[in-house]
Amino acid sequence: MTGLPPRTRLVELDALRGIGALCVLVFHYSTRFHELFPQAAHVPFSFPGGNYRVLLFFTISGFAIFFTLDRIQSVADFMVNRVARLYPAYLVAMLLTLSIEYLAKATQLLVGPGAIVANITMLQGFAFLPEVDGAYWTLTVEIAFYFCMISIWKWAGLKRLEPVLALWLAVRAIYGFWPDMPERIIMLFVLRYLPFFVIGMLSYRVCSGQRHWREQAPYAMIALLSVAMMETWDVTIMACVLLAGFAALIQGRLRWIAARPLLWMGGISYSFYLIHQHVGFVVMLKMTEQGYSPWLAFFSAFLVALILGAGINKLVERPAGEAILSWWRRRRERRSVQPEVSSRLT
């Protein structure tokens, strides 16, 4: 089996995260800003293709989920790992976003108290409540994906993962023929975006040396067929591009994208993603109200998002995540020592 040559870190993944983060910013600050605030001056271009960035993020998540699943020993390990990874930066970014919106009196962006409470859980989508920041909808998708994957890990195991993925895609096919399927079922089983997670998972199994592409090809074709039958032609092309791109990554042919700016951007991409949209909208609104150029407002919002994203990453995301994981390791070690002591005493 041919996987990726041994390396300590897949830096190309960080570069891809950086590219995705930049695409989402340009999409939101051009296309989305104009949709929400048509009366405000805006940059004279649109970037609708940036909306595909979410498909890239979901594919990366499918690939990267095994960085956790391959190391855990229990469901609790997984839950603590995900909390450490997601929640500290998320809660700080949400509080900061709300504060800026209230101070700026950006009433069009504000949500009610009930929605704010629901957003704390990241499960607001299941309650059909609005997000504090429009970008947060993807986090509900990620939480549902984590639920599905830890369930597979617990009850089916990962040794024969591919047949389980094929069955999962079959459930998605049912959704295609049953347009009135309950929305919460669609969300819980991430049926809208499942093929992209599957592409990432199939790619990881080749990368780790557990499978060969010849073995994965039938499952990859099922995933692409699922997209082709249920999505538009452009999304189908995107699925093919992502599959080819991850195949190139595994073969080491994407090292050229690992430029330092993109790696740095990828390193802060989660915190940046959490803080960039509504805060950037407030910056652009206030600057255009004062008569500044839309281009100056665009790049000022970009700079503010970079500074805040880098700050949250350095001061919250990394140290808080490491502290939670260290606490959990110590707790697990203490619990493993206690039975040994008890057995010696008896």
Side-chain angles (χ1 to χ4, degrees):
M1 298 181 184
T2 57
L4 195 67
R7 285 187 281 164
T8 57
R9 183 176 177 84
L10 285 167
V11 293
E12 294 93 333
L13 280 182
D14 284 334
L16 287 174
R17 289 188 181 102
I19 292 171
L22 291 173
C23 286
V24 69
L25 177 137
V26 176
F27 167 70
H28 284 151
Y29 286 7
S30 60
T31 306
R32 189 63 179 151
F33 179 75
H34 183 46
E35 290 172 352
L36 290 177
F37 306 100
Q39 78 285 356
H42 57 88
V43 289
F45 74 93
S46 180
F47 187 54
N51 204 28
Y52 297 142
R53 95 288 175 197
V54 73
L55 306 179
L56 169 61
F57 285 154
F58 290 155
T59 306
I60 293 174
S61 292
F63 190 99
I65 189 67
F66 296 99
F67 298 163
T68 300
L69 291 176
D70 286 349
R71 296 198 310 263
I72 62 172
Q73 299 175 9
S74 66
V75 173
D77 286 348
F78 182 83
M79 293 176 63
V80 172
N81 184 285
R82 294 297 84 194
V83 167
R85 172 72 180 91
L86 298 181
Y87 273 92
Y90 173 74
L91 294 175
V92 170
M94 185 171 68
L95 179 61
L96 187 56
T97 297
L98 286 169
S99 300
I100 291 172
E101 289 173 348
Y102 275 98
L103 289 173
K105 299 180 180 179
T107 55
Q108 189 170 340
L109 298 175
L110 292 170
V111 299
I116 293 173
V117 173
N119 271 255
I120 294 174
T121 69
M122 292 191 186
L123 299 175
Q124 64 278 357
F126 285 97
F128 305 124
L129 291 171
E131 291 80 16
V132 167
D133 186 295
Y136 294 175
W137 72 268
T138 60
L139 299 177
T140 301
V141 179
E142 292 283 349
I143 295 295
F145 175 63
Y146 296 156
F147 168 79
C148 293
M149 289 308 298
I150 194 59
S151 299
I152 292 173
W153 179 89
K154 176 68 175 178
W155 303 111
L158 302 180
K159 193 171 184 180
R160 297 181 179 178
L161 174 66
E162 286 76 11
V164 176
L165 297 181
L167 181 62
W168 199 354
L169 288 166
V171 175
R172 186 176 193 265
I174 296 173
Y175 161 53
F177 292 102
W178 183 15
D180 295 327
M181 178 182 285
E183 181 64 22
R184 288 188 176 91
I185 294 178
I186 297 169
M187 295 171 63
L188 180 63
F189 293 103
V190 290
L191 298 183
R192 286 195 177 89
Y193 307 102
L194 177 59
F196 297 93
F197 288 107
V198 169
I199 288 171
M201 288 188 277
L202 296 176
S203 300
Y204 176 85
R205 300 274 277 183
V206 176
C207 178
S208 63
Q210 299 175 61
R211 295 289 186 273
H212 193 281
W213 272 121
R214 286 194 298 271
E215 299 170 282
Q216 301 296 70
Y219 302 103
M221 290 302 103
I222 293 172
L224 293 179
L225 182 62
S226 179
V227 177
M229 291 180 64
M230 298 176 62
E231 307 294 342
T232 57
W233 64 268
D234 54 322
V235 176
T236 303
I237 291 175
M238 186 64 182
C240 294
V241 168
L242 287 170
L243 180 61
F246 273 76
L249 181 149
I250 291 168
Q251 294 174 350
R253 295 181 179 177
L254 292 187
R255 296 180 187 179
W256 56 273
I257 71 171
R260 286 189 177 183
L262 287 179
L263 295 180
W264 180 79
M265 194 73 211
I268 69 165
S269 59
Y270 178 60
S271 293
F272 175 83
Y273 179 80
L274 294 173
I275 200 65
H276 83 280
Q277 186 175 353
H278 281 197
V279 171
F281 287 172
V282 169
V283 171
M284 289 191 290
L285 279 172
K286 294 304 177 182
M287 290 191 68
T288 54
E289 286 175 4
Q290 297 298 317
Y292 290 102
S293 160
W295 283 107
L296 181 59
F298 180 97
F299 286 109
S300 296
F302 186 12
L303 181 61
V304 169
L306 280 179
I307 293 171
L308 292 178
I312 294 172
N313 173 262
K314 183 176 181 179
L315 300 176
V316 179
E317 180 183 351
R318 292 185 179 181
E322 291 171 1
I324 292 171
L325 292 176
S326 295
W327 164 80
W328 181 250
R329 282 192 295 267
R330 291 192 301 270
R331 184 176 184 273
R332 193 172 57 185
E333 289 168 1
R334 286 196 301 267
R335 294 182 66 180
S336 65
V337 168
Q338 288 175 356
E340 294 179 8
V341 174
S342 299
S343 63
R344 289 173 185 172
L345 292 175
T346 56

